[in-house]
Amino acid sequence: GENVEQHPSTLSVQEGDSAVIKCTYSDSASNYFPWYKQELGKGPQLIIDIRSNVGEKKDQRIAVTLNKTAKHFSLHITETQPEDSAVYFCAAITSGNQFYFGTGTSLTVIP
Amino acid sequence: DAGVTQSPTHLIKTRGQHVTLRCSPISGHKSVSWYQQVLGQGPQFIFQYYEKEERGRGNFPDRFSARQFPNYSSELNVNALLLGDSALYLCASSFQRSGNTIYFGEGSWLTVV
């Protein structure tokens, strides 16, 4: 099956700085890569996603890049705000609808 | 529109007991998946149901079972509970069987004592 690795496990940034979280995957057949934000005591919330036929996607302060050759994808958050503090998960999907999740990155934005 | 709803939100069970968790998908969504999230880890796939049939199963013992009803709601059942079953159980729904975004509910926190 697919194996998704995520780094770093924890990340602290000053408010206004950028944050980058990286994930790698093992199955070259994976074709869809969502990112989820999970706040304490809540379920994961989709924040952005990218499909394998696209190299980059941006939504306001959030962007995702995908390198299919290297089998890695990254989440970029610019102009970070305290409300961005949460745990972020990357995921990959091959056939069917079974998502494989990374182990999460705990992001802290320091005011 | 209502999102994915799960019940109960929290529950405490004793080892050896049985638990049933319930999920209602987003209106119009026909696929429901169940995930287990242990503290500090990412969600782990348990089951996917689409059109009332099991379409995928993760690496979980037979103590775990699920079903989907004609209205696309779903139940996850766990028998003979172990301490290690303590986790957040997440239900996710999507419109189609595969290749679609999944949307999570808030989860059911299960504590086994």
Side-chain angles (χ1 to χ4, degrees):
Chain A
E2 175 62 279
N3 181 41
V4 177
E5 296 188 356
Q6 183 172 347
H7 301 280
S9 57
T10 60
L11 179 61
S12 291
V13 299
Q14 292 288 333
E15 182 177 358
D17 287 350
S18 295
V20 180
I21 302 170
K22 299 180 179 181
C23 287
T24 61
Y25 61 99
S26 60
D27 191 340
S28 57
S30 289
N31 54 25
Y32 176 62
F33 307 92
W35 285 88
Y36 289 85
K37 175 184 180 182
Q38 187 172 27
E39 297 177 334
L40 198 62
K42 295 189 175 183
Q45 178 185 15
L46 178 73
I47 56 172
I48 196 166
D49 57 10
I50 191 167
R51 298 196 180 269
S52 58
N53 59 348
V54 176
E56 183 174 357
K57 183 177 178 181
K58 188 174 182 180
D59 182 5
Q60 299 183 347
R61 297 186 297 110
I62 296 174
V64 56
T65 58
L66 171 64
N67 184 325
K68 287 175 56 180
T69 303
K71 289 190 280 190
H72 67 70
F73 56 113
S74 301
L75 177 71
H76 305 253
I77 306 175
T78 59
E79 302 172 19
T80 53
Q81 302 168 1
E83 51 266 37
D84 294 330
S85 296
V87 179
Y88 291 81
F89 291 97
C90 62
I93 180 175
T94 54
S95 59
N97 221 36
Q98 179 173 345
F99 284 69
Y100 295 86
F101 285 83
T103 50
T105 296
S106 179
L107 173 65
T108 301
V109 179
I110 303 166
Chain B
D1 286 344
V4 177
T5 57
Q6 292 186 243
S7 64
T9 55
H10 296 80
L11 70 167
I12 300 174
K13 291 286 189 177
T14 305
R15 271 183 307 175
Q17 284 189 317
H18 162 91
V19 68
T20 297
L21 308 177
R22 295 177 175 84
C23 171
S24 292
I26 293 171
S27 178
H29 284 193
K30 299 180 178 180
S31 175
V32 169
S33 300
W34 288 94
Y35 286 78
Q36 181 195 64
Q37 187 177 22
V38 175
L39 203 61
Q41 298 288 327
Q44 296 290 317
F45 175 76
I46 309 175
F47 286 111
Q48 185 205 6
Y49 276 77
Y50 178 74
E51 291 285 12
K52 303 181 291 294
E53 291 189 13
E54 182 182 307
R55 303 291 184 167
R57 185 184 185 111
N59 189 24
F60 280 81
D62 292 343
R63 299 185 295 109
F64 288 77
S65 64
R67 55 179 176 168
Q68 187 177 32
F69 300 99
N71 66 352
Y72 303 110
S73 67
S74 177
E75 283 183 354
L76 175 70
N77 295 281
V78 187
N79 292 323
L81 285 168
L82 304 174
L83 296 180
D85 295 330
S86 296
L88 176 65
Y89 287 85
L90 294 163
C91 174
S93 78
S94 62
F95 180 65
Q96 292 179 346
R97 175 183 174 183
S98 63
N100 286 93
T101 304
I102 62 173
Y103 298 91
F104 285 96
E106 298 290 21
S108 294
W109 286 96
L110 171 64
T111 302
V112 182
V113 298

